[in-house]
Amino acid sequence: MNASAPLPVPDYAAPAKLKPTRLLTPEQIAFFNQNGYLAVDNVMPLDEIPMVRKIYDRLFNEDRSKTEGDLYNLTGQKQQGKKEDVAQILQPGKYAPALLETQLVANLKAMMVQLLGPGTHMVGDHAINKPPRNTAATPWHQDEAYWNPAKEYRGLSIWVPLQPATKLNGCMYFVPGSHNQEVVPHQPIGDNPLTPGLEVVPGSFDLSKAVACELPAGGATFHLERTLHYTPRNQSDDYRRAYIAVGTLFERPRATPRKFPWQERQAAARAAAAKS
Ligand SMILES: O=C(O)CCC(=O)C(=O)O
């Protein structure tokens, strides 16, 4: 393979070679179905955390020249030579296939099936890394606001912190029951269409019932495609690392078309910036 050829996307859906060592309880599954989210204290062997962290940190540092094409500043415009305030790598498994061979991923694949049913498979992963004392939260959003408005989905994300996740360093917050809503109006973060991230238009949803999910390292939160969620900025002196696995039961054309004007604004702004 030529050194600059794009790396192939791994077969995320491939059955795990390892048998799951942890599964969800019927009570946890019932909680997820009712609330649209779930927090679990431990989804992986604790002795695997240092290895996963090492791979993770390498992707954002030593291997940055390889991951650059999939590395974004989620909450702002990427600037040459400037570190991201909220750094995101799409498909880290493409750059570090060893991640997909871990007991962690084997466990998450089994848990996805428990939550959404047979046929559910992993479709991708991402990594969101908040540097110490960063200035940006990941604002309130629904994941489906990022996806194709011509399709309907049943999907979930599993968010795994590689150090304890707290209110201070940026744990996940959810609005219980918000998975039952339609996709609410979103806009690019800060209303800047060159920002890749999205936020709920301020005032368009009642966030007063939000709950924080603090977790030990190697725990996880689970949420559906419409569950409203957010993480605050990292006020600690360490990185706040999260590995995220995405699973799908189905994605199919919608009977009624919809438009996500926020995506159209972003596409138009990106095209104009590429021309100038
Ligand atoms: O890690 C974060 O800051 C946000 C994570 C998130 O939005 C997600 O996993 O869907």
Side-chain angles (χ1 to χ4, degrees):
M1 199 197 309
N2 166 332
S4 59
L7 288 170
V9 176
D11 183 7
Y12 283 105
K17 292 189 195 109
L18 299 172
K19 287 203 163 33
T21 53
R22 284 190 174 67
L23 289 172
L24 302 172
T25 64
E27 292 74 23
Q28 288 170 327
I29 296 169
F31 182 95
F32 179 80
N33 287 333
Q34 172 153 5
N35 294 288
Y37 80 96
L38 171 71
V40 174
D41 271 357
N42 186 305
V43 295
M44 68 192 288
L46 295 183
D47 60 8
E48 200 176 63
I49 297 174
M51 186 265 278
V52 174
R53 249 173 90 137
K54 202 164 162 193
I55 296 175
Y56 188 100
D57 285 346
R58 209 186 305 132
L59 294 174
F60 284 95
N61 294 290
E62 295 93 312
D63 285 353
R64 214 188 139 91
S65 59
K66 297 184 198 150
T67 56
E68 199 68 56
D70 279 314
L71 201 158
Y72 298 88
N73 185 12
L74 183 66
T75 55
Q77 279 170 254
K78 198 168 166 182
Q79 287 174 321
Q80 201 64 36
K82 193 165 174 267
K83 279 274 174 143
E84 297 73 27
D85 204 27
V86 180
Q88 178 178 37
I89 295 177
L90 300 181
Q91 296 180 329
K94 188 162 97 180
Y95 302 98
L99 275 176
L100 304 181
E101 304 297 329
T102 54
Q103 187 65 56
L104 165 66
V105 167
N107 290 352
L108 300 184
K109 284 185 173 184
M111 290 174 180
M112 285 175 187
V113 175
Q114 283 190 286
L115 289 173
L116 297 191
T120 302
H121 52 281
M122 184 168 172
V123 283
D125 57 356
H126 57 127
I128 302 184
N129 196 2
K130 293 198 180 186
R133 305 212 165 262
N134 82 326
T135 59
T138 305
W140 286 102
H141 66 280
Q142 294 164 299
D143 291 338
E144 194 178 337
Y146 283 89
W147 303 347
N148 183 346
K151 292 187 174 176
E152 64 180 1
Y153 298 91
R154 175 78 330 177
L156 88 176
S157 286
I158 311 178
W159 185 94
V160 181
L162 301 175
Q163 69 298 298
T166 63
K167 293 178 195 168
L168 188 80
N169 74 356
C171 68
M172 285 282 247
Y173 285 62
F174 298 98
V175 178
S178 54
H179 63 296
N180 292 320
Q181 301 292 315
E182 288 298 319
V183 176
V184 300
H186 283 65
Q187 63 185 23
I189 293 174
D191 211 19
N192 172 359
L194 285 172
T195 298
L198 296 172
E199 62 187 3
V200 166
V201 172
S204 61
F205 203 84
D206 175 13
L207 303 168
S208 62
K209 301 219 161 48
V211 291
C213 295
E214 295 196 309
L215 287 175
T221 61
F222 301 72
H223 66 271
L224 283 163
E225 69 281 352
R226 292 190 184 170
T227 309
L228 274 158
H229 57 286
Y230 143 94
T231 67
R233 74 186 186 90
N234 177 8
Q235 299 182 69
S236 80
D237 292 327
D238 187 15
Y239 285 83
R240 197 246 42 198
R241 306 164 184 85
Y243 174 73
I244 300 135
V246 184
T248 295
L249 173 60
F250 63 74
E251 65 171 79
R252 59 190 178 211
R254 277 175 67 84
T256 24
R258 358 171 236 193
K259 281 199 181 291
F260 287 166
W262 48 91
Q263 291 187 5
E264 291 167 19
R265 277 183 68 204
Q266 285 176 315
R270 273 198 296 269
K275 271 200 209 138
S276 62

